[in-house]
Amino acid sequence: MTDHAHDLAALREATDRLLGATGKLDDAGLSEPSRLPGWSRGHVIAHLSRNADALVNVLRGLPMYADSETRDRDIERDAPRSHAQQLADLTASAARFVAAAAEPGDWSRTVTLRNGVTDSASHVPLRRRAEVELHHVDLGVGYELEDLPDEFTAREIGFLAERFAGHPEIAPVSLADGTGRVWTTGGGAEGGPIGVRGTAPELLGWLSGRRDGSALTVGGGTLPALPPL
């Protein structure tokens, strides 16, 4: 069950970790490549700032972004800014999201995200938390998938497994992390069932496109190629 109050508290902790890590960088550090192809660390931070504002729009019933071109253009515009500007913007945009989430509202209402995707408003804090946690890893500054809170990792595996459920190019897949937790995904293609075993961070890494799955144990077939998120 989604608990938006819990997710907001966890988001504040994740944001504090991100701000602490970003604060230790400098102009040169921000210009270095991130782990995301074609993006510097400055691109990642700029995206996180603009994503916070976009989710404020979502909570207030406005379009998340004007359009994809504007989203991309804003990230490119903001990526080369100085460390001081980036850190100030990241801090201020995070505060704006917290303030918007504190406004009275019906958390059970349906909101519209990017590309027309709809969801419950109660899931928005978790979606923002995922942006903060996973992109912190993408910065390549020593925060790894193994450092993510286990509760978050398990929920994000569940979210991504559901996202790929029934996908026409993925055979039925069973995921297990060795602790008794099992998730299922795929199912729209022939074959399987394929059993995939590994630690929760490795499963999340594969599902989110951040690891190649080579550390996973696969039975009943080959590890499926997942479409991009």
Side-chain angles (χ1 to χ4, degrees), residues 160-161 163-174 184-192 194 206-207 222-228:
L160 293 173
R163 181 165 181 169
F164 293 126
H167 195 284
E169 298 176 7
I170 305 174
V173 178
S174 173
T184 58
T185 193
E190 295 182 358
I194 300 170
W206 173 63
L207 287 168
T222 58
L223 189 67
L226 299 178

Side-chain angles (χ1 to χ4, degrees), residues 17 133 142-150 153 201:
R17 288 192 293 271
E133 292 282 28
Y143 189 68
E144 304 295 342
L145 294 173
E146 286 76 12
D147 297 314
L148 296 171
D150 181 67
T153 298

Side-chain angles (χ1 to χ4, degrees), residues 3-228:
D3 181 347
H4 72 272
H6 163 81
D7 288 330
L8 286 169
L11 171 60
R12 285 191 288 270
E13 294 176 1
T15 301
D16 286 345
R17 288 192 293 271
L18 174 68
L19 290 172
T22 304
K24 294 176 182 177
L25 296 172
D26 54 19
D27 288 353
L30 280 178
S31 69
E32 292 178 359
S34 74
R35 293 176 177 175
L36 296 178
W39 271 17
S40 68
R41 288 174 178 153
H43 283 89
V44 175
I45 297 301
H47 163 62
L48 282 166
S49 296
R50 300 289 67 78
N51 172 262
D53 287 336
L55 289 176
V56 169
N57 290 339
V58 168
L59 289 176
R60 293 177 175 168
L62 302 171
M64 187 169 179
Y65 296 101
D67 49 53
S68 294
E69 292 74 19
T70 300
R71 170 189 176 273
D72 295 344
R73 187 167 57 248
D74 287 350
I75 293 171
E76 290 295 333
R77 177 198 66 203
D78 294 343
R81 296 177 301 176
S82 71
H83 174 258
Q85 291 173 309
Q86 290 271 39
L87 183 59
D89 189 17
L90 184 63
T91 302
S93 60
R96 287 192 292 271
F97 178 82
V98 170
E103 296 173 1
D106 176 12
W107 285 98
S108 67
R109 70 190 186 278
T110 298
V111 295
T112 302
L113 298 151
R114 192 179 173 202
N115 299 324
V117 173
T118 59
D119 202 351
S120 168
S122 64
H123 292 163
V124 173
L126 179 60
R127 286 180 177 266
R128 173 60 183 174
R129 185 182 175 193
E131 293 283 333
V132 170
E133 292 282 28
L134 293 177
H135 285 316
H136 189 169
V137 174
D138 294 334
L139 289 175
V141 292
Y143 189 68
E144 304 295 342
L145 294 173
E146 286 76 12
D147 297 314
L148 296 171
D150 181 67
E151 167 263 349
F152 166 78
T153 298
R155 291 176 71 191
E156 190 65 10
I157 291 172
F159 172 79
L160 293 173
E162 182 178 351
R163 181 165 181 169
F164 293 126
H167 195 284
E169 298 176 7
I170 305 174
V173 178
S174 173
L175 308 167
D177 70 350
T179 69
R181 295 183 297 200
V182 177
W183 303 264
T184 58
T185 193
E190 295 182 358
I194 300 170
V196 179
R197 306 291 182 268
T199 65
E202 290 291 350
L203 291 172
L204 177 57
W206 173 63
L207 287 168
S208 66
R210 286 166 170 82
R211 293 188 182 171
D212 63 8
S214 60
L216 300 172
T217 301
V218 184
T222 58
L223 189 67
L226 299 178

